[in-house]
Amino acid sequence: RLTESGLSMVDWHLVKEMKPPRTQQEWEAEFQKYQQFPEFKILNHDMTLTEFKFIWYMEYSHRMWGRVVGLAYILPAAYFWRKGWLSRPMKGCVLALCGLVCFQGLLGWYMVKSGLEEKPDSYDIPRVSQYRLAAHLGSALVLYSASLWTGLSLLLPRHKLPETHQLLRLRQFAHGTTALIFLTALSGAFVAGLDAGLVYNSFPKMGERWIPDDLLAFSPMLRNIFENPTTVQFDHRILGITSVTAVTALYLFSRKIPLPRRTRMAVTSLLAVACMQVGLGISTLLLYVPTPLAATHQSGSLALLSMALWLMSELRRVPK
């Protein structure tokens, strides 16, 4: 999304497209297909074949990596299943994860299709639907979270923590903070989808004001939350600030409770990554969204979610 390459491959074939163009003739044929769609006609009408190859390979590598991820789930799952190494609950979990991988690929193509459609009544640049982009990212985050949670459940022995009132509150606080971090990451899809990071490149104020004039410029009002770049950036800021505040409060509250060393490490790591992520977000905004920094900020959201899931795993109840 950051390299504006997502619409360079204009069709989708599970096996056929795994072989990239090799000859000059094949590349020209691929380029001609791209030229029939809105992004070339409106935005990239002066693009050369060499420039096209760059964005094509960016999208190609993304799709191939998706296929590698799919095989990394499905092949070992089939092998372990055949060997009888999976318990009955784990079989259900594995089936769900493999199904989610396949769904994620289909959702990705559904997303790309939205950017290939002719929109004669629109004056905006061709881009994929921010709703479908958020769905694609959300599905990826669910898949990642479920995979990490399953791995942590299998690899880390549970702590026998005394079920005090304070521990119960800490556990609930950790669950709520994780949900908030997930929602903040998901809101980043709307920021990326609408290029909302390129408006109001100042912090902490947005321009000269705390609340910008065009925050509710669209009608009906609900459209602003998902379609107004100013509102989308404002919401992402609020969610980010709320998330780091919640993480800090969680850390301070945890200091009052005796916790195992590994759990203490999880809480401290969560706070450290949260502070890093805020710094990355502000820097990305102030520097007008340079691709390497923006990509690091996106990766940081996944690292933060990982720390939150690790902490949740540490605080799990021991079954009776």
Side-chain angles (χ1 to χ4, degrees):
R1 182 68 193 90
L2 291 169
T3 55
E4 304 289 350
S5 57
L7 300 176
S8 57
M9 295 179 71
V10 297
D11 47 21
W12 189 83
H13 303 283
L14 185 60
V15 177
K16 184 180 176 182
E17 73 179 23
M18 293 177 70
K19 179 184 175 183
R22 295 183 180 180
T23 66
Q24 182 71 11
Q25 186 178 5
E26 288 177 346
W27 272 114
E28 288 176 355
E30 191 71 25
F31 193 25
Q32 285 174 3
K33 284 196 291 185
Y34 175 67
Q35 291 171 359
Q36 297 170 20
F37 289 88
E39 186 174 72
F40 178 83
K41 294 177 183 177
I42 298 172
L43 196 63
N44 293 335
H45 49 82
D46 56 350
M47 175 176 277
T48 65
L49 180 60
T50 301
E51 292 169 333
F52 171 71
K53 286 181 179 181
F54 171 76
I55 63 169
W56 192 93
Y57 270 122
M58 290 297 294
E59 175 64 9
Y60 174 78
S61 61
H62 179 66
R63 293 193 187 189
M64 291 306 105
W65 185 253
R67 284 164 172 76
V68 169
V69 170
L71 292 175
Y73 273 84
I74 294 169
L75 294 181
Y79 179 76
F80 295 154
W81 192 300
R82 185 176 178 82
K83 286 286 187 177
W85 295 346
L86 301 178
S87 64
R88 188 165 184 174
M90 187 53 61
K91 284 181 178 180
C93 183
V94 165
L95 281 177
L97 288 173
C98 290
L100 196 52
V101 168
C102 298
F103 173 74
Q104 175 70 0
L106 294 173
L107 190 57
W109 173 241
Y110 179 66
M111 176 191 71
V112 169
K113 280 181 67 177
S114 66
L116 300 175
E117 297 166 355
E118 298 278 357
K119 299 172 185 175
D121 299 329
S122 175
Y123 297 98
D124 201 359
I125 62 171
R127 53 161 63 101
V128 300
S129 162
Q130 70 271 26
Y131 297 102
R132 297 187 192 184
L133 179 63
H136 188 50
L137 176 64
S139 175
L141 291 176
V142 169
L143 173 61
Y144 174 80
S145 298
S147 302
L148 180 61
W149 182 263
T150 303
L152 291 173
S153 301
L154 291 170
L155 295 173
L156 297 182
R158 299 190 189 191
H159 297 294
K160 293 182 179 179
L161 300 171
E163 288 292 329
T164 63
H165 179 66
Q166 280 190 318
L167 180 66
L168 179 62
R169 287 180 61 193
L170 180 65
R171 187 181 289 133
Q172 292 171 340
F173 200 172
H175 290 183
T177 302
T178 303
L180 183 59
I181 290 169
F182 185 95
L183 182 62
T184 305
L186 195 60
S187 75
F190 288 93
V191 175
L194 292 170
D195 290 326
L198 299 175
V199 298
Y200 293 105
N201 296 90
S202 56
F203 191 87
K205 292 184 178 181
M206 296 181 74
E208 299 298 321
R209 303 174 66 91
W210 289 102
I211 300 177
D213 293 330
D214 55 341
L215 189 69
L216 299 175
F218 290 15
S219 182
M221 190 180 296
L222 192 62
R223 279 185 59 206
N224 290 280
I225 299 174
F226 304 109
E227 298 179 18
N228 184 341
T230 298
T231 314
V232 165
Q233 190 198 115
F234 181 81
D235 291 344
H236 191 61
R237 288 182 183 221
I238 297 300
L239 284 168
I241 293 168
T242 306
S243 293
V244 75
T245 302
V247 169
T248 305
L250 177 66
Y251 173 80
L252 294 174
F253 181 67
S254 73
R255 301 295 295 177
K256 302 175 183 178
I257 305 172
L259 295 172
R261 181 173 176 272
R262 201 177 69 204
T263 308
R264 182 71 59 200
M265 282 178 58
V267 178
T268 306
S269 300
L270 179 63
L271 178 64
V273 175
C275 294
M276 178 195 71
Q277 179 66 352
V278 169
L280 285 170
I282 295 171
S283 302
T284 301
L285 185 68
L286 296 179
L287 296 172
Y288 290 86
V289 198
T291 299
L293 191 57
T296 306
H297 181 53
Q298 290 180 349
S299 302
S301 68
L302 203 60
L304 184 58
L305 182 60
S306 300
M307 295 301 106
L309 288 167
W310 177 26
L311 178 59
M312 279 179 54
S313 176
E314 291 292 319
L315 296 173
R316 282 175 302 162
R317 286 188 177 90
V318 176
K320 293 181 181 180

